[in-house]
Amino acid sequence: MDIVVCIKQVPDAASVKWDHKTGTLIRDGVQSVINPFDYNAIEAALSLRDELGGKVTAVTMGPPQAQDAIREAMSMGVDHGVVISDRAFAGADTLATTYTLSRAIRKLGSVDAVFCGKQAIDGDTAQVGPGLAVRLGLPCVTCVGEMEIMEGGAGLRVKRMCEQGYDVVEVGFPVLLTVLASLNTPRVPSLKGKMRARKADIPLWSAEDIGAQKDKIGLAGSPTKVFSTHIPKFEARREMLPGTAEEQVDALVDKLKEAGII
Amino acid sequence: MSNVNYFLTEEQQMIVDLARQITRDKIIPVRARLDETEEFPWDIMKDLAQADLFGLYIPEEYGGLGGGCFENCLAVEQMAYGCIAITTTFAASALGGYPICLYGTDEQKAKYLPDIAAGKRLVAFGLTEAGAGSDAAAIKTTAVEDGDYWVLNGTKQWITSGGEAEIYTIIAMTDKAKGARGASAFIVEKGDEGFNFGKKERKMGLRASSTRELVFSDCRIPKDRLLGKRGQGFIIAMRTLDLARPGIGAIAVGLSQAALDESVVYARQRVQFGQPIISFQAIQHMLADMATYIEASRALVYAVARTIDAGAKNFSKLSAMAKLFPTDVAMKVTTDAVQILGGYGYMKDYPVEKMMRDAKILQIYEGTNQIQKNVIGQALNKEYARK
């Protein structure tokens, strides 16, 4: 089994601050962490490898510091890792990102399964997984909440979680899955894994290394244009309703009707 | 504000970081529930196994990490910050595993250590009996040679992880007439003929750990389960305890630190007489004492553990000190933490009442603190006799 897991470094949600003038994130001094859903993708990849054998390679696009994310994935048991890193990748939207990731994954060679988190908590698009599947020509199952290996390792039987239930999907290899937090509990890192990760050589692949066309990467390859960003204001009004409980309920019902809520 | 620099190596810092991560993510969220239900912490034992922590002290050739007493102390200190019942379950496996590491034959090591290092099988250490606590030489469990077997009879009491562990290091009398020199150590496995467990004890604290009687009724084990030489049992037990005691000190340090952190956070937010209570000198002085005693405990534990790892020969006195002081500090600090949190501290909604209940065992198990003082006092007597 050649398994790939795509991960992303995102700002630590616990320490994020906003620049209210520009409406953007203040990234200075904010720690980067692995996107939470990607831990579940890592665990899914590792458990598949543990069952069927093979190796897991973690792939990320980002600045050279993204090696830290790869090392963390390796401390959990991921075998190899690569960072796709080039200034030319800057400003990529999901279209350019899926192109870039697909080039890198093709360079890795044959692949039986690709795991992605459902979405990244910074952009929240949930587009990269499906987009990457199209680029790689793989069947794609999104929002996987349960996964089991079919008899003889012929494929995977997964539950695709929907708003009002789930679909059971049987899919053969190769395949790309995007996973939910409910899929599994990510394993803790191990000391031996940490030591191996510390010494591991994690290559940085440039646009040239993956043979990327210049007009398909970074800002140039991104049709998405951001015209403005703003921070939504949360304004809550409070009103105390006087009277007995019955009077309060009547007044509340009137107000909810007035507001068009009921 | 600087912390004390204990000059940890990169690998030692890794151990600290990993144990802290497991404590934060896995132990703290479940500790109150496990304390309430007395449920054995199997899930967390699996996490600790996955993290390679059971192999910390086991040589690399048997799948361990080849660390020493100090590395073990660093790990248990972090875990104890979350829950000392869970930490004790982890540490008891090392207590049972040390004798195999130190005195096992190559065959015994090859048979048991890889599984112990991988955390696949927990180990327990069986010395204490109903009539033999501080007076460990008074044990009554016997082992009699019978052809190719040893036959064990007797009952061990208050054995940590009894029933849950699969490998047991047992001290039994092989030559009663010789007293302490008539004791030997054995490896007994769960499932051995004639080996059964008594009831699970209900305890004041340390409730997520399992404490049971071990009952041997004509328990037949093969000859090659003798650990070390015949008659060496008491030495094996004492050496094991000497090596493990700084770990108890480290558990005390972790617990104390948790109690201090809870106290300072609370004292900064609790307002009385129009100001946070930390602004009152009465509270400040309590916190100052707690913090100072804790740092002194930590420094003592680390220094003794490093001395042991550097190859010290006779370290009974030092390891007794490294258990005595931090565990007395833990009792005081956790009691003061409850005092600072006042009525809230006495409620189960806050973690300090559990910390105080748990702390008491530290002054009792692995040799009461009175016994530690005996060890230190007797060592002083010997040292000064030579001068």
Side-chain angles (χ1 to χ4, degrees):
Chain A
M1 274 276 137
D2 289 307
I3 304 164
V4 170
V5 57
C6 296
I7 63 177
K8 183 181 186 184
Q9 270 196 324
V10 295
D12 184 359
S15 60
V16 157
K17 291 197 174 64
W18 296 92
D19 183 334
H20 283 268
K21 275 189 193 144
T22 61
T24 53
L25 281 180
I26 301 170
R27 294 195 179 250
D28 283 350
V30 175
Q31 256 200 314
S32 290
V33 296
I34 294 180
N35 178 50
F37 289 111
D38 298 353
Y39 282 106
N40 302 96
I42 293 170
E43 177 59 38
L46 293 175
S47 63
L48 186 62
R49 178 202 63 187
D50 293 348
E51 286 295 320
L52 298 180
K55 63 177 172 54
V56 177
T57 305
V59 176
T60 190
M61 181 176 84
Q65 299 90 288
Q67 282 178 323
D68 291 346
I70 297 290
R71 284 190 208 285
E72 191 179 342
M74 291 182 80
S75 75
M76 293 169 70
V78 165
D79 302 281
H80 308 285
V82 56
V83 179
I84 320 162
S85 191
D86 197 315
R87 287 194 177 278
F89 296 139
D93 67 4
T94 54
L95 195 71
T97 300
T98 55
Y99 172 75
T100 308
L101 286 172
S102 70
R103 295 299 307 172
I105 291 169
R106 287 204 188 284
K107 185 177 157 81
L108 287 172
S110 78
V111 55
D112 299 300
V114 180
F115 289 93
C116 302
K118 183 187 89 174
Q119 66 200 65
I121 58 162
D122 52 358
D124 255 352
T125 66
Q127 290 170 354
V128 170
L132 181 58
V134 172
R135 299 269 194 195
L136 293 170
L138 298 179
C140 175
V141 186
T142 56
C143 299
V144 170
E146 278 180 42
M147 176 178 104
E148 60 175 313
I149 298 166
M150 284 157 63
E151 206 162 302
L156 298 170
R157 186 177 297 113
V158 302
K159 277 189 185 171
R160 173 168 54 201
M161 309 311 286
C162 312
E163 278 181 13
Q164 287 167 337
Y166 56 82
D167 302 325
V168 177
V169 180
E170 288 184 354
V171 61
F173 299 113
V175 62
L176 184 146
L177 305 177
T178 78
V179 309
L180 301 178
S182 57
L183 175 63
N184 53 39
T185 305
R187 65 192 64 189
V188 296
S190 72
L191 280 173
K192 285 176 189 168
K194 273 177 169 268
M195 286 173 194
R196 201 170 52 81
R198 187 184 56 180
K199 292 180 195 143
D201 179 34
I202 297 163
L204 296 173
W205 285 355
S206 66
E208 198 186 332
D209 291 334
I210 58 171
Q213 280 175 246
K214 279 193 178 148
D215 59 345
K216 288 193 171 181
I217 58 171
L219 214 49
S222 299
T224 309
K225 303 293 173 217
V226 177
F227 292 101
S228 73
T229 57
H230 73 282
I231 301 163
K233 278 187 187 151
F234 295 100
E235 281 175 3
R237 281 184 302 131
R238 192 181 72 162
E239 191 182 337
M240 299 297 283
L241 301 172
T244 64
E246 278 88 9
E247 287 165 355
Q248 288 178 34
V249 170
D250 288 344
L252 179 62
V253 169
D254 286 345
K255 284 189 181 294
L256 290 175
K257 277 183 182 160
E258 225 171 86
I261 296 169
I262 56 174
Chain B
M1 221 71 77
S2 301
N3 289 321
V4 178
N5 188 344
Y6 288 108
F7 301 99
L8 302 189
T9 64
E10 205 178 333
E11 285 186 4
Q12 288 163 347
Q13 189 59 49
M14 247 180 222
I15 295 168
V16 171
D17 293 344
L18 182 54
R20 185 176 288 162
Q21 181 185 343
I22 293 171
T23 302
R24 183 193 62 211
D25 296 346
K26 306 285 183 178
I27 296 179
I28 289 178
V30 302
R31 64 182 175 188
R33 180 173 59 81
L34 296 188
D35 179 66
E36 192 71 30
T37 60
E38 302 187 291
E39 187 187 323
F40 192 79
W42 274 121
D43 287 348
I44 293 164
M45 292 303 119
K46 286 188 186 120
D47 288 329
L48 297 173
Q50 156 68 22
D52 295 329
L53 288 167
F54 279 104
L56 264 186
Y57 67 98
I58 290 174
E60 286 169 275
E61 56 186 305
Y62 297 110
L65 289 144
C69 181
F70 185 43
E71 280 76 15
N72 196 51
C73 284
L74 291 173
V76 295
E77 178 189 344
Q78 293 306 322
M79 291 178 215
Y81 186 90
C83 174
I84 77 163
I86 291 165
T87 313
T88 295
T89 304
F90 169 81
S93 198
L95 189 67
Y98 273 138
I100 301 174
C101 242
L102 295 174
Y103 296 93
T105 61
D106 288 346
E107 290 76 23
Q108 287 170 335
K109 288 181 188 172
K111 183 173 177 192
Y112 295 105
L113 292 183
D115 276 1
I116 297 172
K120 282 186 192 154
R121 301 165 91 190
L122 290 182
V123 198
F125 179 71
L127 172 64
T128 301
E129 296 180 4
S134 295
D135 181 8
I139 55 175
K140 289 202 167 62
T141 297
T142 57
V144 178
E145 259 184 303
D146 179 21
D148 289 337
Y149 294 88
W150 287 97
V151 180
L152 274 65
N153 276 290
T155 302
K156 295 287 173 187
Q157 185 170 257
W158 301 331
I159 304 307
T160 302
S161 299
E164 312 289 347
E166 292 182 43
I167 303 166
Y168 295 79
T169 305
I170 301 297
I171 310 296
M173 298 304 290
T174 41
D175 298 280
K176 268 196 168 172
K178 290 188 183 167
R181 286 183 188 167
S184 301
F186 298 91
I187 302 168
V188 182
E189 294 184 35
K190 188 175 181 174
D192 278 340
E193 182 192 336
F195 177 31
N196 292 296
F197 304 103
K199 70 175 166 63
K200 185 170 167 174
E201 305 289 349
R202 296 173 60 242
K203 305 188 292 291
M204 170 191 201
L206 213 70
R207 290 163 53 89
S209 86
S210 158
T211 311
R212 278 197 182 83
E213 277 180 345
L214 312 181
V215 183
F216 302 96
S217 344
D218 287 331
C219 168
R220 292 170 76 79
I221 54 172
K223 266 240 159 113
D224 62 7
R225 300 275 195 83
L226 175 70
L227 194 52
K229 295 193 188 90
R230 181 177 181 154
Q232 214 181 4
F234 204 63
I235 294 168
I236 291 174
M238 292 305 117
R239 186 78 182 174
T240 297
L241 290 169
D242 281 349
L243 203 54
R245 277 186 188 119
I248 303 301
I251 291 174
V253 172
L255 172 62
S256 301
Q257 185 67 50
L260 173 67
D261 288 358
E262 294 290 341
S263 302
V264 178
V265 167
Y266 180 84
R268 280 170 47 77
Q269 70 187 29
R270 170 70 170 171
V271 173
Q272 288 289 274
F273 307 104
Q275 47 194 316
I277 61 170
I278 200 166
S279 62
F280 301 119
Q281 203 177 46
I283 300 293
Q284 280 181 17
H285 282 194
M286 282 170 85
L287 294 172
D289 279 345
M290 291 158 80
T292 308
Y293 284 130
I294 293 168
E295 205 58 63
S297 297
R298 185 179 287 118
L300 175 63
V301 168
Y302 287 11
V304 169
R306 284 172 151 156
T307 302
I308 292 171
D309 290 340
K313 285 275 176 286
N314 189 348
F315 49 81
S316 300
K317 179 186 79 175
L318 298 181
S319 85
M321 289 174 166
K323 194 251 173 185
L324 169 67
F325 184 68
T327 55
D328 279 351
V329 166
M331 193 68 246
K332 177 177 164 47
V333 164
T334 54
T335 307
D336 286 351
V338 172
Q339 191 68 26
I340 288 169
L341 270 75
Y344 292 110
Y346 201 71
M347 300 298 137
K348 283 187 184 282
D349 307 304
Y350 286 78
V352 291
E353 65 83 28
K354 171 184 183 297
M355 292 177 187
M356 182 179 165
R357 277 187 288 114
D358 282 350
K360 188 65 209 173
I361 193 61
L362 295 169
Q363 295 177 305
I364 298 170
Y365 71 5
E366 297 216 23
T368 63
N369 282 8
Q370 286 69 32
I371 287 292
Q372 307 307 323
K373 289 182 189 182
N374 287 4
V375 170
I376 297 164
Q378 285 155 11
L380 289 173
N381 194 16
K382 271 188 208 162
E383 279 172 27
Y384 281 76
R386 283 192 220 112
K387 283 186 182 162

Coordinates of all heavy atoms in Angstrom, one line a residue, chain B residues 61-88:
Chain B
E61 N 18.4 -3.3 23.5 CA 18.4 -4.6 22.9 C 17.1 -5.4 23.2 O 16.8 -6.4 22.5 CB 19.6 -5.4 23.4 CG 19.7 -5.6 24.9 CD 20.9 -6.2 25.4 OE1 21.2 -7.4 24.9 OE2 21.6 -5.7 26.2
Y62 N 16.3 -5.0 24.2 CA 15.0 -5.6 24.5 C 13.9 -4.7 24.1 O 12.8 -4.9 24.6 CB 14.9 -6.0 25.9 CG 16.0 -7.0 26.4 CD1 17.0 -6.6 27.2 CD2 16.0 -8.3 25.9 CE1 18.0 -7.5 27.5 CE2 17.0 -9.2 26.2 CZ 18.0 -8.8 27.0 OH 19.0 -9.7 27.4
G63 N 14.1 -3.8 23.2 CA 13.1 -3.0 22.6 C 12.8 -1.7 23.4 O 11.8 -1.0 23.2
G64 N 13.6 -1.4 24.5 CA 13.4 -0.3 25.3 C 14.2 0.9 24.8 O 14.7 0.9 23.7
L65 N 14.2 1.9 25.6 CA 15.0 3.2 25.2 C 16.3 3.3 25.9 O 17.0 4.3 25.7 CB 14.1 4.4 25.4 CG 12.9 4.4 24.4 CD1 11.7 4.9 25.0 CD2 13.3 5.2 23.2
G66 N 16.6 2.4 26.9 CA 17.8 2.5 27.6 C 18.0 3.6 28.5 O 19.1 4.1 28.8
G67 N 16.9 4.2 28.9 CA 17.0 5.4 29.9 C 17.3 4.9 31.3 O 17.4 3.7 31.6
G68 N 17.5 5.9 32.2 CA 17.8 5.5 33.6 C 16.7 6.0 34.5 O 15.5 6.3 34.1
C69 N 17.1 6.0 35.8 CA 16.2 6.5 36.8 C 15.7 7.9 36.5 O 14.5 8.2 36.7 CB 16.9 6.4 38.1 SG 16.0 6.9 39.6
F70 N 16.6 8.8 36.0 CA 16.2 10.2 35.8 C 15.1 10.3 34.7 O 14.1 11.0 34.9 CB 17.4 11.0 35.4 CG 17.2 12.5 35.2 CD1 16.4 13.1 36.2 CD2 17.7 13.2 34.2 CE1 16.2 14.5 36.0 CE2 17.5 14.5 34.0 CZ 16.8 15.2 35.0
E71 N 15.3 9.6 33.6 CA 14.3 9.6 32.5 C 12.9 9.2 33.0 O 11.9 9.8 32.7 CB 14.7 8.8 31.3 CG 15.8 9.4 30.4 CD 17.2 9.4 31.0 OE1 17.4 8.7 32.0 OE2 18.0 10.2 30.5
N72 N 13.0 8.1 33.9 CA 11.7 7.6 34.4 C 11.1 8.7 35.3 O 9.9 8.9 35.3 CB 12.0 6.4 35.3 CG 10.7 5.6 35.6 OD1 10.0 5.3 34.7 ND2 10.5 5.3 36.8
C73 N 11.9 9.4 36.1 CA 11.4 10.5 37.0 C 10.7 11.6 36.2 O 9.7 12.1 36.5 CB 12.5 11.1 37.8 SG 13.0 10.0 39.2
L74 N 11.4 12.0 35.1 CA 10.8 13.0 34.2 C 9.5 12.7 33.7 O 8.5 13.5 33.7 CB 11.8 13.3 33.1 CG 13.1 14.0 33.4 CD1 14.0 14.0 32.2 CD2 13.0 15.3 34.0
A75 N 9.3 11.4 33.3 CA 8.0 11.0 32.7 C 6.9 11.0 33.8 O 5.9 11.5 33.6 CB 8.2 9.6 32.1
V76 N 7.2 10.3 35.0 CA 6.2 10.2 36.0 C 5.8 11.6 36.6 O 4.7 11.8 37.0 CB 6.5 9.2 37.1 CG1 6.6 7.8 36.5 CG2 7.8 9.5 37.9
E77 N 6.8 12.5 36.7 CA 6.5 13.8 37.2 C 5.4 14.4 36.4 O 4.4 15.0 36.9 CB 7.7 14.7 37.2 CG 7.4 16.1 37.7 CD 8.6 17.1 37.6 OE1 9.7 16.6 37.3 OE2 8.3 18.3 37.7
Q78 N 5.5 14.4 35.0 CA 4.5 15.0 34.2 C 3.2 14.3 34.3 O 2.1 14.9 34.3 CB 5.0 14.9 32.7 CG 6.2 15.8 32.4 CD 6.0 17.3 32.9 OE1 4.9 17.8 32.7 NE2 7.0 17.9 33.4
M79 N 3.2 12.9 34.3 CA 1.9 12.2 34.4 C 1.2 12.5 35.7 O 0.0 12.6 35.8 CB 2.2 10.7 34.3 CG 2.6 10.2 33.0 SD 2.9 8.4 33.2 CE 4.3 8.3 32.1
A80 N 2.0 12.6 36.8 CA 1.4 12.8 38.1 C 0.8 14.2 38.2 O -0.1 14.4 39.1 CB 2.5 12.7 39.2
Y81 N 1.2 15.1 37.3 CA 0.5 16.4 37.3 C -1.0 16.2 37.0 O -1.8 17.0 37.4 CB 1.2 17.2 36.2 CG 0.7 18.7 36.2 CD1 1.3 19.7 36.9 CD2 -0.4 19.0 35.4 CE1 0.9 21.0 36.9 CE2 -0.8 20.3 35.3 CZ -0.2 21.3 36.1 OH -0.7 22.6 36.0
G82 N -1.2 15.1 36.2 CA -2.6 14.9 35.9 C -3.3 14.0 36.9 O -4.4 14.3 37.4
C83 N -2.7 12.9 37.3 CA -3.4 11.9 38.2 C -2.4 10.9 38.7 O -1.7 10.2 37.9 CB -4.5 11.2 37.4 SG -5.3 9.9 38.4
I84 N -2.2 10.8 40.0 CA -1.2 9.9 40.5 C -1.7 8.5 40.6 O -0.9 7.5 40.7 CB -0.6 10.4 41.9 CG1 -1.5 10.1 43.0 CG2 -0.1 11.8 41.8 CD1 -0.8 10.1 44.4
A85 N -3.0 8.3 40.5 CA -3.5 6.9 40.4 C -3.1 6.2 39.1 O -2.6 5.1 39.1 CB -5.0 6.8 40.6
I86 N -3.2 7.0 38.0 CA -2.8 6.5 36.7 C -1.3 6.4 36.7 O -0.8 5.4 36.2 CB -3.4 7.5 35.6 CG1 -4.9 7.3 35.6 CG2 -2.7 7.1 34.3 CD1 -5.6 8.5 34.8
T87 N -0.6 7.3 37.2 CA 0.8 7.3 37.2 C 1.4 6.1 38.0 O 2.3 5.4 37.6 CB 1.4 8.6 37.8 OG1 0.7 9.7 37.3 CG2 2.9 8.7 37.6
T88 N 0.7 5.8 39.1 CA 1.1 4.7 40.0 C 1.0 3.4 39.2 O 1.8 2.5 39.3 CB 0.3 4.7 41.3 OG1 0.7 5.8 42.0 CG2 0.7 3.5 42.1

